[in-house]
Amino acid sequence: MSEPRVGLLGATSLAGECLIRKLIEHGWHVTTFSRHSITNNTLHPQITWQQFATMDSTKVCNEGRKIRAWLCVAPIWALSEHFDLLSAYGARRIVVLSSTSRFTKNTSSDPNERKIAQQLIKSEELLQTWAAAHEVECVILRPTLIYGYGRDKN
């Protein structure tokens, strides 16, 4: 029987850190992807860390390991940069974190809030188009707010 495996984009984010703990508790093997370097205190036998800046893109296809299930807790507007990576790993399902701001701030009086809402809308549409073209099931979660253990401004 093969081990349950999941790919995680945004591994060093607040949500990523929480997900890693829960995934390990439930027996998942996690291949994490992040822009940030990884510290030694995050090493675990169920985690394979990948830093985008140091990744060998040719190794992805030659690795021989398919990762069918994916989670993305990185900013959704960065996801489209990684569609080729998801395809190379044989993604079949992805759960992505977005925000209710796509609805609630679309008509805000603040131009920056409207810009963020438009960025979210465009990113969700790009994901849905890519997923349909590649027969990847996608689920978009839109929380209102995520608290970050005192590491954020909430």
Side-chain angles (χ1 to χ4, degrees), residues 1 3 7-8 21 34-37 59 77 90 97 100 107 119 123 127 129 132 136 139 142 147 154:
M1 184 171 176
E3 60 198 22
L8 175 62
R21 282 193 297 275
S34 179
R35 292 172 293 144
H36 303 289
S37 60
K59 186 179 178 188
W77 46 81
L97 203 57
T100 57
T107 58
Q119 202 172 15
S123 300
L127 168 61
T129 300
V136 174
V139 176
R142 298 182 186 108
Y147 292 93
N154 298 318

Side-chain angles (χ1 to χ4, degrees), residues 5-140:
R5 180 165 298 280
V6 66
L8 175 62
L9 298 166
T12 58
S13 69
L14 297 171
E17 290 177 13
C18 293
L19 274 172
I20 288 171
R21 282 193 297 275
K22 289 295 183 187
L23 289 164
I24 287 171
E25 280 178 26
H26 289 89
W28 285 83
H29 290 258
V30 186
T31 301
T32 63
F33 298 84
S34 179
R35 292 172 293 144
H36 303 289
S37 60
I38 309 310
T39 60
N40 286 337
N41 65 347
T42 56
L43 298 178
H44 190 281
Q46 287 172 244
I47 303 174
T48 302
W49 288 97
Q50 299 284 342
Q51 184 182 1
F52 287 119
T54 61
M55 275 181 63
D56 179 356
S57 59
T58 60
K59 186 179 178 188
V60 171
C61 295
N62 297 332
E63 194 173 85
R65 268 204 174 138
K66 295 290 184 186
I67 302 175
R68 304 291 189 195
W70 286 81
L71 300 167
C72 177
V73 293
I76 190 170
W77 46 81
L79 180 57
S80 63
E81 298 170 26
H82 306 296
F83 287 160
D84 288 343
L85 175 82
L86 296 171
S87 293
Y89 274 103
R92 301 293 2 117
R93 182 170 205 214
I94 185 166
V95 178
V96 178
L97 203 57
S98 185
S99 173
T100 57
S101 293
R102 95 180 292 285
F103 303 111
T104 61
K105 296 186 178 184
N106 200 24
T107 58
S108 170
S109 61
D110 182 336
N112 289 327
E113 288 185 348
R114 286 194 313 271
K115 181 181 175 184
I116 289 170
Q118 286 304 307
Q119 202 172 15
L120 292 166
I121 291 167
K122 180 182 176 190
S123 300
E124 286 186 16
E125 289 172 351
L126 281 171
L127 168 61
Q128 290 167 329
T129 300
W130 173 84
H134 292 85
E135 298 179 351
V136 174
E137 178 186 2
C138 81
V139 176
I140 299 172

